[in-house]
Amino acid sequence: MFLEALASVLLGLALALLATHRLAHRLPSRNLVLATGAAGALFGAFVTHSVVGPGNPLAVLAGAVVLAVASLSLLLRNSARPAFEAIRPKVG
């Protein structure tokens, strides 16, 4: 259980680092992104371990990755100019 938790936190941190590298312009501060990735992965590992039970480390790590990615996606902001503004008529 401890190794699953440690591995899931490391996976969450790796995903958060990847997100900050690729999407830095659309994310808030790096510290928040790192904390969210680690916490999301740890929570995902806990939920998956509770559902599938012990003895399935790959399933637990897969659940950790899924919830870490979902948590990180909630932090994404819109780009500077949304596409729908280009076609909306100006009033006034």
Side-chain angles (χ1 to χ4, degrees):
M1 176 78 175
F2 177 74
L3 290 177
E4 288 175 352
L6 182 63
S8 67
V9 167
L10 291 176
L11 278 173
L13 287 173
L15 288 169
L17 282 171
L18 181 68
T20 57
H21 179 69
R22 303 271 299 166
L23 302 168
H25 62 284
R26 294 186 60 194
L27 288 169
S29 71
R30 186 175 186 192
N31 291 336
L32 179 64
V33 173
L34 291 175
T36 302
L42 189 61
F43 185 66
F46 170 71
V47 169
T48 309
H49 184 80
S50 298
V51 170
V52 299
N56 296 315
L58 293 179
V60 170
L61 292 178
V65 167
V66 167
L67 205 57
V69 169
S71 299
L72 290 171
S73 72
L74 294 175
L75 295 178
L76 287 174
R77 293 181 282 197
N78 290 335
S79 59
R81 184 175 177 212
F84 66 86
E85 282 187 8
I87 60 172
R88 185 172 34 167
K90 294 185 180 184
V91 178

Short mmCIF file of all heavy atoms in Angstrom, two decimals, residues 33 37 65:
data_model
loop_
_atom_site.label_atom_id
_atom_site.label_comp_id
_atom_site.label_asym_id
_atom_site.label_seq_id
_atom_site.Cartn_x
_atom_site.Cartn_y
_atom_site.Cartn_z
N VAL A 33 -0.26 23.75 -9.32
CA VAL A 33 -0.38 22.65 -10.27
C VAL A 33 0.30 21.39 -9.73
O VAL A 33 -0.24 20.28 -9.82
CB VAL A 33 0.22 23.06 -11.64
CG1 VAL A 33 0.26 21.88 -12.59
CG2 VAL A 33 -0.57 24.19 -12.24
N GLY A 37 -1.69 17.93 -8.84
CA GLY A 37 -1.35 16.66 -9.49
C GLY A 37 -1.06 15.57 -8.47
O GLY A 37 -1.53 14.44 -8.61
N VAL A 65 -3.58 7.86 -12.22
CA VAL A 65 -3.28 8.69 -13.39
C VAL A 65 -4.55 9.36 -13.91
O VAL A 65 -4.56 10.55 -14.24
CB VAL A 65 -2.60 7.85 -14.49
CG1 VAL A 65 -2.57 8.58 -15.81
CG2 VAL A 65 -1.20 7.48 -14.06
#
